Amino acid sequence: MDILNKDPETLINEIASLRKQLEQKQQDYDALIEKTNYHLRELFNSSNDLIQIISPNGEFKFVNQAWKYKLGFRDEELANKKFVDIIHPDQQQKTLEKLVRITEGSPAERLDTVLVSSHDKNIYVSGQITCVFEDNEPFEYRGVLYDITERVRAESVQRLFFSIATLTHKEYNLEGLFKEIFEELSSHLRVRNFSISIQEKNSIRYPFRINERNSDPGEIDDLLTKYTLERDKPMIIFGEGIEKIAQQYHLEIKGDIPKIWLGVPIHTGSDLKGVMMLYSYKDQDSYNLKDLELLDFISGQVSLAIERKTNQDKIIDQAARLTAIFESSTHQIWSIDRNYAFTSFNENYAKSFESYFGKRPEIGMNLNKTYQKLFEKSVRDAWISKYDEAFSGKVLNFQTHLTTSRGEKVWRDIFLNPIFLPNGKIEEVSIIANDITDRKNAEIAIKESEEKFRNIFESFQDIYFRCDLTGKITMVSPSIQEVLGFTQKEVIGNNIEGFFISKDGTSKLIEELMKHHSVRNFEGSVKTKKKTEIQFLCNVRLIKRSWRQKDEIEGVARDITQLKKKNLELKQAKDLAEKSLRIKERFLANMSHEIRTPMNGIIGMIDLLGSTSLDPEQFEYIRTVKKSSDTLLNILNDILDLSKIEAGKMELRMEPVKPVETFEKIYDLYSQQAHLNKTNLYYHLDDQLPEYILCDETRLMQVISNLTSNAIKFSHTKGNINLSIRQKKETKRSYEFQVTVKDSGIGIAPKDQEKLFRSFSQLDSSKKKQYAGTGLGLAISKELVKSMKGRIGVVSTPGLGSTFWFTFKAGKVDPGVIDSSREDGSFSHQFVGTQPKVLLVDDNDINRKVATQILLKSGCKVVGAESGLKAIDIIKKETFDLVFMDIQMPEMDGVEATKKIKKLKLERQPPVIAMTAYSMEEDKDKFISQGLDDYLAKPIKSNRIIEKVRLWTKFEPKEVDTKVFDEKAEDLIINQNTLNQLHKFGGKELIQSVLEEFNIEASEQVKMAIKNFQTRNYEQIQREMHTLKGNAGTLGVERLSKQAAIVEKRIKENKFGKVKPELNKLEKSLKEFKESYRNLLKNE
Amino acid sequence: MSKNILVAEDSSVIQNLTKRILSIQNYDIKSVKNGGDVMKTLENEKFDLLLLDINMPVLSGEECAKLIRESENPDIKNIPIIAITGNAKNYSLQDFKDLGINDFLPKPLDYDQMVDMVNSYLQ
């Protein structure tokens, strides 16, 4: 403008006018302002925005109606409050900082804060605050704020939704999830009390519970959980409502009652039910329906979370369990894919696989390729076809076996299952296998055994049956038809008692069975279909069953009808046989007695008769009678021996024996007989022969005698018989000897050799018997040898002779035993008179006479007694040195008489010797045990009775001259016993040197004698003969000695005419000696 | 020290036999063949026992015994004499004792008896 170009007046006028204009305008303006202010106030008050004007010190100058309504403060309340008092404590600092920045001139700032209403409710606001200055000083703050609570809330809820949705996906731990939910609720909805309840059968469980009042017992939670679940919908309940509900449920509430309670039911897919609840003790306006909706939403999420969680837990559990089952299974489990490669397997399979094939399986291992080597093609093809079947959707079960790399056969039970995928396809097959080798083997064994038993059962001869405890038959073997005639069907189901004929035993049988569980050898009888009776023998057993099954009885019955019959017959036969045997034995014993008694008389009388003077003819007759009676006695003895052996009554009497003496005795016994048979008998003893052995000398001698007498009997003239004994073995306690009897006789053909040792067998059974004898000798010998634990046999070549041999065992003798045994029997040597006085007791007159005669002849004094009583009478009056006592006497037998005699306690007690025809050996012991001192078998032989006298009285009786029968007519060429004596002193060497010297000297002497006879120098002959006699006798050259004696005698008697033939005999004897001597040297 | 025995026996068989058997018994044996040599030997050597055959040439056993018992030399006079005779039946023990002979052995000789008898005089 060009103000400077205008006049002042004009200017003044203009100014005045302007003033005026201005004043008018001022007036208009003020009026307008007044009007505007009113309108503004109206506007402010009617606005929904919150408008406030506050002074710089924070006092409220103005708040509009909306502000007052929203925040709930009255004007007078506001008068005492400052702006900062209504800001949410969390927001105060931030808000004040903002105000400072506005004051400092920052262009209009946006303010977001939270105010707290008088109801303690958060009001989210957003708006602009401006600062009005006056005089450069802040005058007032004017603010227009919008209530954005709903928006914030919506946003918050949205965030809550989101975060809870996230949580439920994220959080696996339910408790953690609940805690997170609570924290979200707490920050978004200022929730202080929050519970999640789960209803279980009879109680309510709280997986999560937060309560600001710790004292709260939870009774309201319980109550309202039930209430909510009954209604099954979200509930908002206020304080009064809670009280009413409590009354309804008759519950007296002790704790605080919430002002507002919100609860929503939680449902999971499963049965699980619960309630999620939140409540406030402060303000019933704390929550509204929107919060309930929110809670409802959360509950849905929570339900899902719980369900998922539960499912997950279940799945985890399930998987773990399945794995555990899979791995811990004792079955072999594996799966394969369509390439037949392993996709899985359990440990057991791996182990089994390794044990079968020596290597572990691997995933991916292919049946077709990788472990091809392990299987044979046929096996692999079989498996592939099975797998293919399974891949086609079939379930397979089969049993198969394989042979392991170690060659063992393993049986497995296999299940093949296709694994169906959800789409129905099959990509894998699972296999479960079980090692059933043991079971299979057992099955096979059972099957075999079953078959076996079935066979046995079917072919059983006896009847097998089973019945229950009432007796009802449940099972029976087919054999019943054959035995009883009933078929199995006819019998099964019937009561067993119906078949018994006698029922007496059955109750006892049952009783026994219950007590002992088995009964053996029960006998009874049953009736057959044909009504006949059968005897049976039955073994029965109680079969104890488990609780489920009833006990049973099983048994086997055997038809013993035939057996019984046979048994009876056998028993009868046995009785008969025994009876016969007894009769035979008695017969033999009687025979022995009956025959021996008269034999006694015959032999005794012959002996006596022989000692009387007889003419040659009579003498020859007597000799024959004697020979015959001896033979008869021998036969009798043989028969008795054999019967004794057969009756088993032969017992060995073991005594210390000098084997050398035994052979001397044998030699003494048989050398004469051999000589008569013109054979030479020699014997040779083992150098090692023990001095004593323990054996039964009588029996040993019997065997040797038998063989020797046989050898003599069957030898040719001029033959040789050699006896020898050799020690075969020696053990700690015993010896074994072999005795050989070698002859040069007729020999025995091989076919006959075995017959030899049988009873009554003589090889020559022709009518014209060349050889005497019973034929029992070898049979007896065999038995005797057997009893001496030896064997007997023969080696023979017909025509060349036989060698019989036998072995026997003998015990060793303790040297101490011998001394004592040798020293007893030292009976008094003093006789009553100069002769021994003998009492002879025998009821048989002949016997008494025979024995008396023999004893008298031997030089004894004899008194006879015909009975025991008589004997006692006599012995009371007279003194005797010896008593011979017959055993079998009437009235009082010998044993009794002896006892009575011993009881008399005589001052001089004579030994009593039993005489009896009971020739059994054991009788001796019997008599001795009954008080008799010794035993003498009848028939009485003179030498035996004299021997007893010698033994018991030490009297040297005179030989009763029965020489005529003893056939001791001539002497031996060389006496083997003498040689044996020499052997003892100096062995073979001595014998040889002495005999050699004798040979030379004797030859010279005989030569001289003949020479001197020619020159009639008889005196010289006599001298020579005397020496020759002594020397030959000393060396056992007996026949020569004897002949020298005869020559000497003839010269002494001056019977020179008879010298010549005797000298010839002498020469012959010398020749015999030389022959024998050579033979001897040869044999040595 | 072993004992000395003089055996007077004309038969070399018996001589040898006695000698061998008695040697085994640990005796020293000297033998002579006739009665004449008996006295000579006894005078030269001391013997513990004399086995004397009665029937001998030169000097009979009976005569020998008589000479011995009449000897001045106590060793000879007191020597035990056992007679050997093939004629025992004709003698009793008393007959021998009368002759100054201690004991006798009959012929044929029993070796055991001989050994026992000799031992009984010398041990």
Side-chain angles (χ1 to χ4, degrees):
Chain A
M1 262 192 322
D2 51 349
I3 211 155
L4 294 168
N5 300 332
K6 283 180 179 174
D7 63 70
E9 195 57 36
T10 349
L11 272 171
I12 292 164
N13 287 342
E14 273 178 48
I15 291 166
S17 145
L18 276 169
R19 189 175 284 157
K20 216 175 166 182
Q21 274 183 312
L22 191 67
E23 277 174 5
Q24 188 56 48
K25 284 232 175 155
Q26 184 69 45
Q27 278 177 342
D28 290 348
Y29 176 76
D30 284 345
L32 185 68
I33 288 209
E34 186 67 19
K35 199 182 169 185
T36 303
N37 272 350
Y38 175 78
H39 279 289
L40 274 174
R41 209 164 284 128
E42 280 293 297
L43 188 67
F44 287 178
N45 280 334
S46 64
S47 165
N48 274 327
D49 298 336
L50 309 181
I51 298 166
Q52 62 176 26
I53 299 166
I54 48 177
S55 61
N57 64 0
E59 286 167 357
F60 289 97
K61 280 186 176 173
F62 170 81
V63 290
N64 69 350
Q65 279 303 111
W67 195 103
K68 278 189 241 178
Y69 174 78
K70 215 46 142 194
L71 286 161
F73 293 109
R74 296 189 299 273
D75 287 342
E76 56 270 25
E77 281 173 321
L78 278 177
N80 297 322
K81 284 205 187 290
K82 293 194 172 171
F83 181 51
V84 72
D85 294 335
I86 62 159
I87 301 172
H88 191 282
D90 296 347
Q91 298 288 328
Q92 281 172 357
Q93 193 171 349
K94 204 174 125 195
T95 309
L96 289 178
E97 280 170 8
K98 199 94 184 212
L99 285 175
V100 169
R101 272 208 300 280
I102 292 166
T103 312
E104 283 169 354
S106 166
E109 287 260 349
R110 200 170 171 80
L111 177 73
D112 288 300
T113 188
V114 183
L115 303 180
V116 181
S117 78
S118 66
H119 300 298
D120 204 19
K121 210 175 159 185
N122 293 345
I123 312 286
Y124 292 81
V125 291
S126 174
Q128 278 192 318
I129 286 196
T130 52
C131 186
V132 182
F133 292 90
E134 268 182 27
D135 303 329
N136 281 324
E137 285 295 316
F139 173 67
E140 60 181 23
Y141 297 90
R142 295 173 189 165
V144 178
L145 304 168
Y146 313 106
D147 178 358
I148 57 161
T149 305
E150 284 308 313
R151 204 181 78 211
V152 168
R153 191 187 179 94
E155 280 169 9
S156 171
V157 164
Q158 209 169 2
R159 274 201 308 280
L160 190 62
F161 282 169
F162 178 74
S163 59
I164 285 174
T166 316
L167 279 176
T168 54
H169 281 102
K170 191 176 75 187
E171 191 56 61
Y172 291 124
N173 181 343
L174 275 182
E175 201 187 331
L177 174 67
F178 297 150
K179 197 165 166 253
E180 295 271 354
I181 290 171
F182 168 68
E183 274 163 15
E184 292 294 334
L185 289 172
S186 165
S187 73
H188 293 292
L189 297 180
R190 298 163 57 78
V191 170
R192 296 286 174 268
N193 303 291
F194 178 71
S195 298
I196 291 173
S197 66
I198 302 286
Q199 190 181 40
E200 299 198 320
K201 252 184 187 172
N202 296 317
S203 64
I204 292 161
R205 180 168 68 86
Y206 292 89
F208 190 83
R209 190 159 193 266
I210 290 274
N211 192 291
E212 59 189 333
R213 315 237 161 132
N214 291 329
S215 60
D216 186 278
E219 52 192 354
I220 291 163
D221 287 3
D222 287 356
L223 176 71
L224 296 181
T225 297
K226 276 184 225 160
Y227 186 77
T228 309
L229 286 176
E230 274 167 23
R231 274 145 194 83
D232 197 23
K233 59 178 186 186
M235 306 290 291
I236 290 186
I237 308 166
F238 297 100
E240 312 90 81
I242 293 172
E243 278 175 61
K244 274 183 195 160
I245 291 164
Q247 276 170 14
Q248 211 177 309
Y249 282 84
H250 307 292
L251 183 81
E252 196 185 328
I253 295 167
K254 285 166 196 148
D256 296 329
I257 295 174
K259 291 268 169 21
I260 184 165
W261 185 93
L262 276 69
V264 290
I266 300 169
H267 289 287
T268 65
S270 56
D271 305 338
L272 198 68
K273 270 185 192 169
V275 174
M276 184 163 71
M277 61 195 91
L278 52 84
Y279 41 95
S280 167
Y281 291 102
K282 281 184 190 156
D283 184 2
Q284 66 173 17
D285 293 329
S286 301
Y287 311 113
N288 55 25
L289 269 174
K290 282 196 172 149
D291 294 328
L292 191 64
E293 275 170 30
L294 176 65
L295 207 57
D296 198 20
F297 164 76
I298 296 170
S299 95
Q301 292 296 309
V302 168
S303 298
L304 280 175
I306 290 175
E307 193 163 358
R308 197 162 52 235
K309 182 74 190 160
T310 316
N311 285 342
Q312 251 166 12
D313 285 354
K314 268 188 191 162
I315 287 165
I316 291 166
D317 271 8
Q318 194 75 3
R321 202 174 299 131
L322 283 174
T323 308
I325 290 168
F326 185 67
E327 287 303 341
S328 67
S329 173
T330 53
H331 290 68
Q332 304 167 14
I333 306 173
W334 71 99
S335 60
I336 50 128
D337 61 18
R338 283 194 174 269
N339 293 321
Y340 315 113
F342 287 124
T343 52
S344 70
F345 50 78
N346 69 349
E347 181 54 26
N348 199 39
Y349 179 71
K351 273 188 196 159
S352 304
F353 190 92
E354 190 175 10
S355 78
Y356 299 155
F357 305 117
K359 60 183 282 187
R360 280 183 79 87
E362 285 161 28
I363 299 291
M365 207 186 223
N366 191 309
L367 174 64
N368 240 344
K369 296 170 191 162
T370 325
Y371 68 112
Q372 212 167 28
K373 286 170 233 158
L374 304 176
F375 293 109
E376 281 175 30
K377 192 175 179 303
S378 62
V379 176
R380 201 169 62 245
D381 290 349
W383 271 103
I384 284 172
S385 84
K386 293 285 185 191
Y387 283 147
D388 286 347
E389 257 188 90
F391 277 119
S392 75
K394 276 188 193 162
V395 172
L396 302 177
N397 172 221
F398 57 92
Q399 291 181 354
T400 180
H401 61 83
L402 58 85
T403 309
T404 69
S405 54
R406 286 193 302 261
E408 290 158 3
K409 196 171 186 181
V410 175
W411 279 92
R412 288 188 299 170
D413 192 16
I414 314 266
F415 289 88
L416 255 59
N417 288 295
I419 302 173
F420 289 96
L421 293 177
N423 59 11
K425 283 187 176 173
I426 303 164
E427 290 301 334
E428 286 181 64
V429 167
S430 76
I431 304 95
I432 296 178
N434 196 13
D435 188 330
I436 52 160
T437 309
D438 290 346
R439 199 173 77 200
K440 196 76 190 176
N441 288 343
E443 259 173 32
I444 291 168
I446 285 170
K447 209 169 166 187
E448 281 171 2
S449 129
E450 246 174 23
E451 204 163 308
K452 197 164 73 193
F453 282 109
R454 174 58 56 181
N455 279 339
I456 293 170
F457 184 70
E458 296 291 345
S459 59
F460 211 44
Q461 298 280 310
D462 298 340
I463 301 170
Y464 175 89
F465 65 89
R466 263 189 204 186
C467 59
D468 62 20
L469 293 185
T470 66
K472 199 173 92 180
I473 299 170
T474 54
M475 188 176 178
V476 71
S477 60
S479 51
I480 187 130
Q481 184 150 22
E482 201 170 316
V483 180
L484 294 183
F486 296 105
T487 62
Q488 279 170 289
K489 272 185 191 167
E490 284 172 313
V491 172
I492 290 172
N494 286 325
N495 196 297
I496 196 161
E497 276 195 39
F499 296 93
F500 288 126
I501 285 172
S502 146
K503 273 128 189 145
D504 302 343
T506 27
S507 61
K508 199 159 176 265
L509 174 70
I510 299 288
E511 199 179 295
E512 280 282 296
L513 199 55
M514 290 303 153
K515 215 194 277 174
H516 303 296
H517 291 179
S518 84
V519 177
R520 296 189 68 82
N521 298 334
F522 172 78
E523 277 187 41
S525 50
V526 290
K527 54 174 174 265
T528 66
K529 199 173 182 178
K530 288 179 181 164
K531 308 287 179 210
T532 57
E533 185 178 334
I534 275 183
Q535 298 279 322
F536 70 86
L537 187 74
C538 198
N539 288 339
V540 191
R541 191 170 75 92
L542 189 68
I543 314 171
K544 278 298 210 187
R545 295 290 194 194
S546 61
W547 59 274
R548 215 186 294 226
Q549 285 168 292
K550 280 183 182 164
D551 291 352
E552 276 191 297
I553 298 167
E554 79 170 355
V556 175
R558 168 166 294 184
D559 177 1
I560 53 162
T561 316
Q562 288 304 315
L563 194 71
K564 276 235 150 176
K565 210 170 131 195
K566 279 271 158 19
N567 257 352
L568 194 69
E569 284 169 10
L570 268 179
K571 197 175 175 299
Q572 283 167 348
K574 185 175 163 255
D575 286 349
L576 193 67
E578 278 174 353
K579 204 170 151 195
S580 308
L581 193 69
R582 274 199 303 278
I583 290 167
K584 184 180 150 199
E585 271 174 34
R586 206 166 340 149
F587 172 75
L588 282 169
N590 287 341
M591 280 297 281
S592 94
H593 185 244
E594 297 303 327
I595 297 175
R596 276 165 182 251
T597 305
M599 283 291 286
N600 195 21
I602 294 166
I603 291 173
M605 277 306 173
I606 294 167
D607 278 351
L608 288 173
L609 198 57
S611 65
T612 58
S613 60
L614 299 165
D615 66 33
E617 196 180 355
Q618 285 171 327
F619 177 75
E620 199 47 45
Y621 294 160
I622 290 290
R623 213 170 126 122
T624 312
V625 174
K626 165 76 176 169
K627 229 173 163 179
S628 303
S629 60
D630 277 349
T631 309
L632 187 59
L633 193 61
N634 281 336
I635 293 170
L636 191 63
N637 284 339
D638 274 0
I639 292 172
L640 279 171
D641 266 349
L642 197 68
S643 67
K644 217 187 294 180
I645 290 167
E646 282 175 353
K649 285 187 176 168
M650 241 284 304
E651 273 173 32
L652 295 180
R653 296 172 51 81
M654 307 301 261
E655 280 165 340
V657 172
K658 273 182 152 174
V660 174
E661 282 184 359
T662 308
F663 274 78
E664 282 170 2
K665 283 182 199 164
I666 292 285
Y667 186 80
D668 283 343
L669 275 171
Y670 288 98
S671 52
Q672 303 302 331
Q673 199 187 329
H675 175 67
L676 283 176
N677 206 36
K678 305 218 166 32
T679 45
N680 298 315
L681 181 63
Y682 304 104
Y683 70 94
H684 312 281
L685 304 176
D686 193 334
D687 287 344
Q688 312 276 295
L689 214 55
E691 192 179 4
Y692 286 101
I693 61 172
L694 198 65
C695 70
D696 184 337
E697 191 184 26
T698 315
R699 296 306 173 185
L700 178 61
M701 275 184 67
Q702 199 176 348
V703 179
I704 304 173
S705 299
N706 236 313
L707 300 182
T708 309
S709 77
N710 276 350
I712 294 169
K713 219 182 321 182
F714 297 106
S715 274
H716 294 300
T717 314
K718 289 200 175 172
N720 293 319
I721 294 163
N722 285 287
L723 308 184
S724 67
I725 179 165
R726 179 169 74 80
Q727 188 176 311
K728 261 185 93 180
K729 242 188 245 171
E730 181 178 356
T731 67
K732 221 172 175 183
R733 290 188 170 184
S734 68
Y735 303 105
E736 188 176 349
F737 297 103
Q738 174 157 344
V739 176
T740 313
V741 180
K742 185 177 172 189
D743 68 46
S744 52
I746 56 171
I748 305 151
K751 68 177 167 66
D752 293 328
Q753 288 177 12
E754 62 184 60
K755 284 192 212 160
L756 278 175
F757 298 96
R758 292 188 206 150
S759 304
F760 299 105
S761 81
Q762 253 199 346
L763 298 181
D764 176 17
S765 50
S766 59
K767 278 183 188 158
K768 179 180 74 71
K769 269 180 102 169
Q770 196 180 344
Y771 305 105
T774 54
L776 289 176
L778 286 176
I780 293 168
S781 297
K782 187 181 172 186
E783 294 301 325
L784 289 176
V785 166
K786 210 196 270 175
S787 72
M788 291 189 280
K789 298 192 175 73
R791 292 174 304 124
I792 189 164
V794 63
V795 182
S796 180
T797 314
L800 287 181
S802 313
T803 302
F804 282 85
W805 57 267
F806 71 93
T807 61
F808 69 98
K809 283 197 176 143
K812 289 194 169 176
V813 178
D814 176 10
V817 176
I818 303 153
D819 290 343
S820 58
S821 73
R822 287 276 141 170
E823 257 153 24
D824 52 79
S826 57
F827 196 74
S828 165
H829 215 276
Q830 295 280 309
F831 302 122
V832 178
T834 47
Q835 299 162 289
K837 200 170 155 192
V838 178
L839 175 62
L840 190 89
V841 191
D842 197 326
D843 63 319
N844 184 302
D845 291 340
I846 299 168
N847 285 346
R848 205 168 62 244
K849 200 165 164 192
V850 170
T852 306
Q853 283 301 319
I854 295 169
L855 288 171
L856 283 174
K857 287 202 169 201
S858 75
C860 301
K861 281 189 187 168
V862 185
V863 176
E866 65 270 21
S867 74
L869 285 170
K870 197 76 178 276
I872 294 165
D873 278 351
I874 294 170
I875 212 162
K876 277 179 185 163
K877 291 174 205 152
E878 293 179 50
T879 318
F880 290 92
D881 294 306
L882 191 60
V883 179
F884 285 101
M885 177 74 73
D886 185 30
I887 293 300
Q888 216 175 42
M889 291 187 292
E891 287 173 61
M892 183 188 287
D893 70 17
V895 175
E896 202 186 332
T898 306
K899 281 181 184 163
K900 292 226 157 102
I901 290 171
K902 299 258 166 169
K903 262 192 199 156
L904 294 174
K905 301 233 183 304
L906 297 168
E907 200 179 316
R908 193 181 175 85
Q909 176 67 60
V912 182
I913 298 169
M915 293 191 297
T916 177
Y918 286 128
S919 56
M920 299 271 179
E921 188 67 24
E922 60 270 22
D923 291 346
K924 186 171 172 181
D925 289 335
K926 197 169 85 192
F927 296 138
I928 287 170
S929 73
Q930 285 171 335
L932 287 127
D933 296 287
D934 201 350
Y935 164 90
L936 181 66
K938 285 182 177 180
I940 308 291
K941 283 200 154 190
S942 56
N943 55 347
R944 286 202 203 140
I945 193 166
I946 290 165
E947 180 59 36
K948 292 290 176 198
V949 174
R950 185 183 284 131
L951 178 72
W952 284 101
T953 64
K954 298 287 186 255
F955 169 72
E956 194 55 52
K958 272 190 242 161
E959 285 289 322
V960 175
D961 190 14
T962 53
K963 230 182 205 168
V964 64
F965 306 123
D966 288 347
E967 316 235 15
K968 223 175 193 171
E970 281 121 319
D971 288 278
L972 300 162
I973 301 168
I974 301 176
N975 190 327
Q976 198 66 31
N977 282 350
T978 317
L979 295 189
N980 195 47
Q981 285 259 331
L982 280 172
H983 190 272
K984 198 169 72 186
F985 284 105
K988 281 181 208 163
E989 198 201 337
L990 177 64
I991 295 173
Q992 268 186 25
S993 81
V994 173
L995 283 184
E996 182 56 38
E997 210 155 354
F998 173 79
N999 186 20
I1000 297 163
E1001 200 180 278
S1003 305
E1004 186 64 25
Q1005 280 164 334
V1006 173
K1007 212 168 94 189
M1008 285 307 292
I1010 293 165
K1011 204 174 153 193
N1012 285 329
F1013 179 73
Q1014 286 162 355
T1015 55
R1016 295 170 194 250
N1017 190 353
Y1018 297 119
E1019 199 186 329
Q1020 187 58 31
I1021 297 173
Q1022 193 191 338
R1023 281 183 59 86
E1024 295 281 1
M1025 287 303 110
H1026 183 78
T1027 307
L1028 180 60
K1029 177 187 77 180
N1031 289 357
T1034 300
L1035 295 178
V1037 188
E1038 292 185 0
R1039 204 177 296 176
L1040 195 59
S1041 171
K1042 201 90 180 179
Q1043 194 56 36
I1046 292 168
V1047 176
E1048 186 192 10
K1049 201 177 167 199
R1050 295 282 178 270
I1051 293 169
K1052 246 189 192 168
E1053 292 164 353
N1054 292 324
K1055 293 177 177 170
F1056 304 121
K1058 288 184 178 174
V1059 171
K1060 182 64 184 154
E1062 298 302 336
L1063 273 177
N1064 289 345
K1065 280 189 190 165
L1066 186 73
E1067 266 193 300
K1068 195 181 153 207
S1069 294
L1070 180 67
K1071 224 170 120 192
E1072 281 173 347
F1073 161 73
K1074 285 172 183 275
E1075 221 170 87
S1076 251
Y1077 173 54
R1078 273 201 298 277
N1079 189 12
L1080 195 73
L1081 290 177
K1082 221 163 44 192
N1083 278 314
E1084 283 298 323
Chain B
M1 225 185 88
S2 55
K3 308 262 174 155
N4 294 328
I5 300 173
L6 181 63
V7 179
E9 165 65 64
D10 66 329
S11 160
S12 54
V13 174
I14 303 298
Q15 217 178 69
N16 190 14
L17 183 73
T18 359
K19 191 174 171 178
R20 300 213 30 181
I21 290 177
L22 292 174
S23 299
I24 295 163
Q25 306 294 316
N26 234 346
Y27 297 119
D28 282 342
I29 314 293
K30 193 156 192 168
S31 44
V32 291
K33 279 218 165 188
N34 63 63
D37 292 341
V38 173
M39 287 313 287
K40 273 187 226 163
T41 315
L42 286 176
E43 276 160 17
N44 292 334
E45 216 175 313
K46 186 180 179 295
F47 288 90
D48 300 297
L49 180 73
L50 173 63
L51 281 181
L52 184 63
D53 187 11
I54 295 299
N55 192 1
M56 273 193 306
V58 187
L59 204 63
S60 78
E62 289 171 37
E63 287 161 335
C64 281
K66 205 169 166 239
L67 284 174
I68 288 165
R69 294 307 176 215
E70 286 167 359
S71 170
E72 302 281 312
N73 185 339
D75 282 349
I76 299 174
K77 188 184 164 76
N78 296 327
I79 190 170
I81 305 171
I82 296 173
I84 299 174
T85 176
N87 242 341
K89 277 184 192 163
N90 299 340
Y91 293 91
S92 69
L93 183 57
Q94 199 52 51
D95 295 336
F96 286 115
K97 294 215 163 154
D98 292 343
L99 287 168
I101 291 169
N102 301 61
D103 216 331
F104 74 98
L105 287 165
K107 276 187 185 174
L109 279 176
D110 183 305
Y111 315 120
D112 284 329
Q113 194 190 0
M114 177 174 77
V115 171
D116 285 348
M117 198 180 281
V118 169
N119 286 342
S120 73
Y121 282 93
L122 294 182
Q123 283 174 1

